[in-house]
Amino acid sequence: MKRYLQLATEFENLIANGTLEPGVRLPSVRQASSSYRVSPSTVFQAYYTLERRGLIVARPRSGYFVASRPALTKSLTIVSKRSIDEAYGDSLVIRFMQAQRRCSHPGLGSSEPSAQLFPLGRISRSLAAAVRRMSSSRNALSAGKAEADLRRQIALRYIVTGVTVPIDEVIVTSGALDALILCLQVLTRPGDTIAIERPAFHAVQGAVQRLHLKAVEIPVDPHRGLDLGALAEALRQHPVRACWFMTTLHQPTGATLSDERKEALVRLLARHGVPLIEDDVFRELHFGLTPAYPAKRFDSNGLVLHCGSFSKSLAPGLRLGWVAAGRYAARIERARWLTMAPASVPAQSAIADYLEHGDYDRLLRKVRRELAYLQTRMVAAVVRYFPQGTLVVRPPGGFFLWVELPEGVETVQLFEMAEAHEIAIAPGAIFSCGHEFRRHIRLNYGRPWTSDVEKEMHTLGLLATRAMAEHGTARHTGHEGAE
Amino acid sequence: MKRYLQLATEFENLIANGTLEPGVRLPSVRQASSSYRVSPSTVFQAYYTLERRGLIVARPRSGYFVASRPALTKSLTIVSKRSIDEAYGDSLVIRFMQAQRRCSHPGLGSSEPSAQLFPLGRISRSLAAAVRRMSSSRNALSAGKAEADLRRQIALRYIVTGVTVPIDEVIVTSGALDALILCLQVLTRPGDTIAIERPAFHAVQGAVQRLHLKAVEIPVDPHRGLDLGALAEALRQHPVRACWFMTTLHQPTGATLSDERKEALVRLLARHGVPLIEDDVFRELHFGLTPAYPAKRFDSNGLVLHCGSFSKSLAPGLRLGWVAAGRYAARIERARWLTMAPASVPAQSAIADYLEHGDYDRLLRKVRRELAYLQTRMVAAVVRYFPQGTLVVRPPGGFFLWVELPEGVETVQLFEMAEAHEIAIAPGAIFSCGHEFRRHIRLNYGRPWTSDVEKEMHTLGLLATRAMAEHGTARHTGHEGAE
């Protein structure tokens, strides 16, 4: 990497992790040149790069300053069933889902990791044994026993994350989405306001619609994660009943809040007495240098309802999730009993058995190594095939890249172009019902790297480059026409 | 059976199936004596029995008349989240569910059939193969393929019931309850009114609470099923947005609407343009002499959303259900995609495989034969152990008996007494939030008959008899005190 880019990246990190707050003045070119031992022109080039990215602003005769995060100014969008219906009438999300099914290679746009990453032979044997035990007259498998076993194993796993969770606090559901929606249902009534992220996984907007809620969208920065300032503002301005946030490996950006910021989040919400539904389905896939703890670790008030899943990290497609529901556990459990059927009994038994007797930690280490490798391949393919000016942030885990294409590439259009080539991608617009993220795509790298994947990336890159060229021509033509 | 009881039963059936409508005069004692070739005193005894049961009334100097169904007069109860909360604050349902888990023999009160009735070895092999196929790189199992296969198999099965259901109309969910609630969610908004049955499975009231609806309760007679007159009245009086009814083997009564009455129901709703969510999870277990068709068979307007499940008839605990959603299919499918995670992929694949290659019809014949035998055993045990005056209606299928105990036995109290003996029963009060069905219990006979079951029935009978005796004493004492 060129020296000026290295320097720019260093400053970018300092801005991202909050060392350089918005409004702070950067060292002068002379100071920076001397302390970083680079030429003044290298500093200039680095500052110019940061300025182009909108991270710093030049003020004449004063120097360079860290830009206010632009998201903040438009942070407090309120969405509701109506605005979601109107904004895109769900149709893009539906088209996206249909494309996933139609295309012969749904990998790049998929929301799930490939099952090929997981040694499902072991799970399959446990599952078969559990089903057989259900129907044997001796030693029959009861629903109560399977659930109790799984709850105990989940509670035990929390110990690793430094959180003490009594078994009674754990409520098992058919997948994490059921747990998340159950929490929302217990914490809100129709018409209430909650806080969600922008961008957010499209199921979040689906839940807002389904439960007839309103939602205030809090911006997420791919580097720093959730904008706590905007959240504080939202809590002041709106009667927020609950928050639904992904604190680690946020989807689609991959942003992970630092421990400090997780703690600050928990404190801020405690001051307002607002519960946090912590959507933490990717944490087991975190491969950063330091471990990522759940925000629940910093909660001493029982206000954090921590939701997890085995679908991303152990058994995709089996649909088992849970919530450790803090002070709301009794209410959540009642609601589950009264309004939801219990989760699959053999699946619960099989997973409990694996957690007790299998080697989940070794499996996770293997999966994380594999994902880290696959991320490298995917980043390299983006660099190689995508147009110059494409931005990509490497998340510290998971299986998604959040990619911003240069001016001129509308990714909804790219989605349509790609579909003609049997490639299904996830355009940024499905992650917000505003007209944002029009140049973003979410890329799934959670499957074995094959020449097919390489070819799809190549095709996508060509399509994006063509879109840019056409855009350039169109603009040019448009300009001529206007004269 | 004594001759007068036989005669009473004959009349009861004529009243139940609607041949003798309310208000119709019964034959005089002399006429009946001559046409049934029995003594006048036998007719007297039969009429007296029917009168005691409230089925007919004597009018001085006019003879005996079929009684107006008493339920009708109090038919239009409206329940809502609030009234359900207030009525019993869910606590009885929760206590019931907890007892199911605590007791070592949860059979009698359980809502599920025993898995031991089903040959799960076959399902378990399919399931294991499906999970393995998910993770193999060749011939991988995709979510789309598994779901498409299952939808096709479900659509094919409808042909047997005389209903043509295009594949597109079938939406697969994690269990029938998810399908039922999804339908309600699409058809209603918070605050809307729906029509439900009284009594009804407690999850129905749970859904009313969860979705913030109001519900008008339509009485169900154990013989005739849903009171269509009361429904017609409800449709006139209330802005009913949708109905949720069990037309075959209603839970808990076991009532099954005749084909004629199903057709009348569909016509009545069509006149009002009101959709019917047909909860038909027990129909495959119908072992009556004539087949039981779904009401959807009589629907030519696409107004019937027919919900089914494999949990009662093939694979308990696997959690797979569906809805054939008529004209609402596109909306229901959108809502499922936007707000629900897909059902377990290996489970879908395993069931589709079984439906295609297994012999489901032969299995069902076997299960029905077994259930018919178990019903006989359970009825015999009720007759043998329960106090005189206990009423039980034999349903034409399923695995529940709806039993009415004589005056003096409060079944909530019996539930508590039984729990002390490690027996969990389902008291009638959990099937309505009014103060009804206080002398009813639902008995599950869907498990192999063992000496344990016999012993539990014996214990229950003793407890009921004791409760009656104590009640008698208490009343007597109370009477003395008042003097």
Side-chain angles (χ1 to χ4, degrees), chain A residues 178-365:
Chain A
D178 268 20
L180 292 157
I181 288 178
L182 183 63
C183 292
L184 267 187
Q185 257 171 344
V186 167
L187 297 175
T188 67
R189 293 182 55 86
D192 279 354
T193 301
I194 63 165
I196 63 174
E197 290 155 323
R198 190 182 68 227
F201 184 44
H202 52 77
V204 177
Q205 285 134 31
V208 170
Q209 285 184 291
R210 178 172 165 185
L211 303 182
H212 300 271
L213 298 170
K214 289 190 293 245
V216 44
E217 295 184 312
I218 314 296
V220 172
D221 176 275
H223 295 280
R224 289 165 55 88
L226 192 76
D227 187 328
L228 294 180
L231 175 62
E233 190 60 34
L235 291 168
R236 273 192 295 274
Q237 287 184 20
H238 300 280
V240 173
R241 293 261 175 239
C243 299
W244 175 352
F245 298 143
M246 298 192 83
T247 50
T248 300
L249 297 171
H250 168 259
Q251 167 158 230
T253 66
T256 297
L257 287 174
S258 65
D259 279 0
E260 292 70 32
R261 289 167 56 73
K262 277 175 183 149
E263 192 168 1
L265 168 64
V266 170
R267 282 213 195 130
L268 173 62
L269 293 177
R271 275 202 298 282
H272 289 82
V274 171
L276 167 62
I277 303 170
E278 186 176 21
D279 181 352
D280 204 17
V281 298
F282 295 110
R283 195 174 43 78
E284 298 280 26
L285 301 179
H286 183 268
F287 48 73
L289 292 176
T290 49
Y293 294 110
K296 188 174 176 72
R297 193 184 196 204
F298 307 104
D299 173 34
S300 50
N301 299 294
L303 279 171
V304 177
L305 303 92
H306 182 260
C307 298
S309 164
F310 298 106
S311 298
K312 315 295 179 191
S313 53
L314 176 57
L318 270 200
R319 303 230 48 68
L320 275 185
W322 74 88
V323 53
R327 65 160 85 158
Y328 305 98
R331 280 171 64 197
I332 302 269
E333 182 163 34
R334 276 172 91 91
R336 205 220 64 183
W337 275 4
L338 291 170
T339 65
M340 279 183 172
S344 163
V345 178
Q348 292 185 71
S349 175
I351 299 285
D353 175 62
Y354 182 86
L355 292 177
E356 190 172 354
H357 301 114
D359 198 343
Y360 190 28
D361 285 304
R362 199 166 67 97
L363 166 67
L364 284 175
R365 282 195 297 274

Side-chain angles (χ1 to χ4, degrees), chain B residues 168-189:
Chain B
D168 286 353
E169 217 189 282
V170 178
I171 293 116
V172 174
T173 53
S174 297
L177 188 56
D178 268 20
L180 292 157
I181 288 178
L182 183 64
C183 292
L184 267 188
Q185 255 170 345
V186 167
L187 297 175
T188 67
R189 293 182 56 86

Side-chain angles (χ1 to χ4, degrees), chain B residues 141-214:
Chain B
L141 170 64
S142 82
K145 169 86 166 63
E147 191 179 299
D149 287 351
L150 184 57
R151 291 173 84 171
R152 186 167 48 249
Q153 291 302 322
I154 292 170
L156 284 171
R157 255 204 97 65
Y158 271 107
I159 294 172
V160 188
T161 61
V163 189
T164 308
V165 170
I167 292 176
D168 286 353
E169 217 189 282
V170 178
I171 293 116
V172 174
T173 53
S174 297
L177 188 56
D178 268 20
L180 292 157
I181 288 178
L182 183 64
C183 292
L184 267 188
Q185 255 170 345
V186 167
L187 297 175
T188 67
R189 293 182 56 86
D192 280 354
T193 301
I194 63 165
I196 63 174
E197 291 155 322
R198 190 183 67 227
F201 184 44
H202 52 78
V204 177
Q205 286 135 29
V208 170
Q209 286 183 290
R210 177 172 164 183
L211 304 181
H212 300 270
L213 298 170
K214 289 190 291 246

Side-chain angles (χ1 to χ4, degrees), chain B residues 153-366:
Chain B
Q153 291 302 322
I154 292 170
L156 284 171
R157 255 204 97 65
Y158 271 107
I159 294 172
V160 188
T161 61
V163 189
T164 308
V165 170
I167 292 176
D168 286 353
E169 217 189 282
V170 178
I171 293 116
V172 174
T173 53
S174 297
L177 188 56
D178 268 20
L180 292 157
I181 288 178
L182 183 64
C183 292
L184 267 188
Q185 255 170 345
V186 167
L187 297 175
T188 67
R189 293 182 56 86
D192 280 354
T193 301
I194 63 165
I196 63 174
E197 291 155 322
R198 190 183 67 227
F201 184 44
H202 52 78
V204 177
Q205 286 135 29
V208 170
Q209 286 183 290
R210 177 172 164 183
L211 304 181
H212 300 270
L213 298 170
K214 289 190 291 246
V216 44
E217 295 185 310
I218 314 295
V220 173
D221 176 275
H223 296 280
R224 290 164 55 87
L226 192 76
D227 187 327
L228 294 180
L231 175 61
E233 191 59 34
L235 292 168
R236 273 192 295 273
Q237 287 184 18
H238 299 281
V240 172
R241 292 263 175 236
C243 299
W244 175 352
F245 298 143
M246 299 192 84
T247 51
T248 300
L249 297 172
H250 167 259
Q251 169 159 224
T253 66
T256 298
L257 286 174
S258 66
D259 279 0
E260 292 71 32
R261 289 166 57 73
K262 277 175 183 149
E263 192 168 1
L265 167 65
V266 170
R267 283 212 194 130
L268 173 62
L269 292 178
R271 276 202 299 281
H272 289 82
V274 171
L276 168 62
I277 303 170
E278 186 177 21
D279 180 352
D280 204 17
V281 298
F282 295 109
R283 196 174 43 78
E284 298 280 26
L285 301 179
H286 182 266
F287 48 73
L289 292 174
T290 49
Y293 294 111
K296 188 173 177 72
R297 192 181 197 208
F298 308 103
D299 173 34
S300 50
N301 299 294
L303 278 172
V304 178
L305 303 93
H306 182 259
C307 298
S309 164
F310 297 106
S311 299
K312 315 294 179 191
S313 53
L314 176 57
L318 270 200
R319 304 230 49 69
L320 275 185
W322 74 88
V323 54
R327 65 160 84 159
Y328 306 98
R331 280 171 63 199
I332 302 269
E333 183 164 32
R334 275 174 94 91
R336 205 220 63 182
W337 275 5
L338 291 170
T339 65
M340 278 183 174
S344 162
V345 178
Q348 292 186 69
S349 175
I351 299 286
D353 175 62
Y354 182 86
L355 292 177
E356 189 171 356
H357 301 114
D359 197 344
Y360 190 28
D361 285 304
R362 200 167 66 98
L363 167 67
L364 285 174
R365 282 195 298 273
K366 189 169 157 287

Side-chain angles (χ1 to χ4, degrees), chain A residues 89-90 93 97-98 115-116 118 124 128 134-135 137 147 185 190 206 210 212 316-317 319 334 337-339 341-342 344-345, chain B residues 89-90 93 97-98 101 115 118 124 128 134-135 137 185 190 206 210 212 316-317 319 334 337-339 341-342 344-345:
Chain A
D90 311 333
V93 176
M97 286 179 159
Q98 285 168 336
Q116 292 171 42
F118 304 96
S124 117
M134 286 182 74
S135 65
S137 52
E147 192 179 298
Q185 257 171 344
R210 178 172 165 185
H212 300 271
R319 303 230 48 68
R334 276 172 91 91
W337 275 4
L338 291 170
T339 65
S344 163
V345 178
Chain B
D90 311 334
V93 177
M97 287 177 158
Q98 285 168 337
R101 315 212 141 200
F118 304 97
S124 116
M134 286 182 73
S135 65
S137 52
Q185 255 170 345
R210 177 172 164 183
H212 300 270
R319 304 230 49 69
R334 275 174 94 91
W337 275 5
L338 291 170
T339 65
S344 162
V345 178

Side-chain angles (χ1 to χ4, degrees), chain A residues 66-128:
Chain A
V66 177
S68 334
R69 272 156 280 136
L72 198 56
T73 59
K74 43 176 176 170
S75 65
L76 297 182
T77 344
I78 293 276
V79 297
S80 64
K81 182 170 181 359
R82 196 155 164 194
S83 67
I84 295 172
D85 288 351
E86 280 169 7
Y88 56 5
D90 311 333
S91 58
L92 182 62
V93 176
I94 297 282
R95 275 160 60 207
F96 156 70
M97 286 179 159
Q98 285 168 336
Q100 295 296 315
R101 315 211 142 201
R102 261 199 309 270
C103 289
S104 47
H105 308 296
L108 292 179
S110 171
S111 302
E112 302 295 328
S114 162
Q116 292 171 42
L117 293 177
F118 304 96
L120 290 182
R122 173 73 169 75
I123 300 284
S124 117
R125 281 192 301 277
S126 299
L127 202 55

